[in-house]
């Protein structure tokens, strides 16, 4: 949990420093999608600037470490999730994207992607913490008097998810397709992985929006991706050898 809050701080600071006052340059590529051959260099025709390589290195390292942690956690702890396969694929793709973005000097795009991912993550974690604290564990329903607050938290999470994980990520994919030259294999690899990430966010978003609907209509919801349904039988304990 602390890592998910540290990483976005670095990522939100990095684009602000890197983008500066020049969001675009005339020519083939919008500057954000300019594929440079040198990490953290200045945009084309821009005044010389101090090197931002330490900031980019720190941000890329923290993000890659965070997703490696998530990959290990998924394999070690969360095998019972209904979306275990998607979570596993999500973390593998994220590790490739975060490290690959730095390795192949497309860190500007990487910073934008990780920033929108982190905004959604923080909102999701906060909403889940509230849900767990103010819910009946056995019935998986809000405690008396907490229904409206649950609805507000879940609705806010749905809005943030839609704006970041769906709209923003789709816009980044469109920007890459429109402004970048994908004539090298590694660029196609990162672009395909980013598109797969977008598909996963849309699928997860569909489940989240359905949970918002059931919260509005029934006053409670079931986490269809993570929690065991309250009416389903308990799994028998594993026998020790």
């Amino acid at each position: 949990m602390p890592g998910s809050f540290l990483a976005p701080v670095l990522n939100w600071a990095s684009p602000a420093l890197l983008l500066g006052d020049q969001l675009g340059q005339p020519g083939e590529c919008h500057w954000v999608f300019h594929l440079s051959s040198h990490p953290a260099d200045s945009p084309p025709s821009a005044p010389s600037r101090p090197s931002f390589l330490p900031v980019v290195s720190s941000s890329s390292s923290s993000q890659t470490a965070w997703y490696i942690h998530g990959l290990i956690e998924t394999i070690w702890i969360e095998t019972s999730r209904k979306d275990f396969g998607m979570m596993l694929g999500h973390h593998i793709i994220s590790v490739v994207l975060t490290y690959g973005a730095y390795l192949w000097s497309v860190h500007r795009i990487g910073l934008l992607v990780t920033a929108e991912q982190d905004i959604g993550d923080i909102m999701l974690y906060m909403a889940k913490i509230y849900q767990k604290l103010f819910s009946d564990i056995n019935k998986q329903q809000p405690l008396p008097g907490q229904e409206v607050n649950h609805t507000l938290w879940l609705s806010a999470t749905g809005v943030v998810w839609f704006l970041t994980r769906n709209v923003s990520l789709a816009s980044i994919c469109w920007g890459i397709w429109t402004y970048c030259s994908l004539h090298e294999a590694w660029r196609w690899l990162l672009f395909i992985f980013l598109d797969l990430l977008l598909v996963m966010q849309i699928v997860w978003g569909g489940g989240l929006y359905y949970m918002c609907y059931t919260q509005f209509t029934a006053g409670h919801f079931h986490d269809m991706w993570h929690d065991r349904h309250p009416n389903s039988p308990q799994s028998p304990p594993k026998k020790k050898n």
Side-chain angles (χ1 to χ4, degrees):
M1 183 71 71
S4 65
F5 287 90
L6 173 62
V9 170
L10 292 171
N11 277 285
W12 297 338
S14 300
L17 292 171
L18 289 165
L19 292 178
D21 57 352
Q22 295 199 16
L23 289 178
Q25 295 288 336
E28 181 183 358
C29 287
H30 189 292
W31 178 71
V32 174
F33 300 101
H34 172 66
L35 303 185
S36 168
S37 59
H38 300 288
D41 67 347
S42 299
S45 305
S48 59
R49 299 182 181 182
S51 173
F52 294 111
L53 186 57
V55 178
V56 176
S57 299
S58 299
S59 177
S60 300
S61 299
S62 66
Q63 283 291 346
T64 303
W66 169 248
Y67 285 114
I68 291 175
H69 153 265
L71 177 62
I72 296 173
E73 181 183 37
T74 300
I75 297 173
W76 193 263
I77 299 175
E78 300 188 324
T79 55
S80 61
R81 290 180 62 115
K82 293 181 180 179
D83 60 344
F84 171 75
M86 284 180 58
M87 282 295 296
L88 192 65
H90 166 72
H91 288 302
I92 293 174
I93 288 174
S94 298
V95 170
V96 173
L97 288 175
T98 52
Y99 183 69
Y102 178 75
L103 182 66
W104 286 309
S105 303
V106 288
H107 47 276
R108 298 185 184 98
I109 301 174
L111 290 170
L112 294 177
V113 173
T114 53
E116 59 83 12
Q117 292 283 303
D118 286 326
I119 294 172
D121 270 344
I122 289 177
M123 190 67 208
L124 183 63
Y125 283 133
M126 292 174 64
K128 285 186 72 70
I129 289 173
Y130 185 89
Q131 180 213 359
K132 300 301 182 184
L133 288 176
F134 297 98
S135 295
D136 186 308
I137 298 177
N138 297 320
K139 296 181 180 179
Q140 293 186 13
Q141 294 184 9
L143 295 174
Q146 294 295 327
E147 293 83 0
V148 174
N149 291 334
H150 275 247
T151 301
L152 292 175
W153 273 105
L154 189 60
S155 301
T157 304
V159 171
V160 170
W161 188 282
F162 176 74
L163 294 176
T164 57
R165 300 294 186 94
N166 293 168
V167 176
S168 296
L169 186 56
S171 300
I172 294 171
C173 291
W174 177 85
I176 295 174
W177 178 258
T178 303
Y179 294 106
C180 291
S181 175
L182 300 174
H183 60 274
E184 295 179 283
W186 64 266
R187 296 184 181 183
W188 274 109
L189 174 66
L190 293 183
F191 182 65
I192 291 172
F193 271 34
L194 194 60
D195 286 343
L196 290 175
L197 187 66
L198 174 61
V199 171
M200 291 180 182
Q201 309 312 311
I202 293 174
V203 173
W204 272 318
L208 177 59
Y209 308 144
Y210 178 76
M211 286 184 253
C212 291
Y213 170 77
T214 56
Q215 177 67 32
F216 272 108
T217 56
H220 61 87
F221 72 95
H222 166 64
D223 189 342
M224 57 187 296
W225 296 119
H226 199 179
D227 294 335
R228 180 184 61 85
H229 197 281
N231 295 328
S232 63
Q234 290 279 1
S235 301
K238 295 182 180 180
K239 295 182 179 180
K240 295 183 178 181
N241 295 327

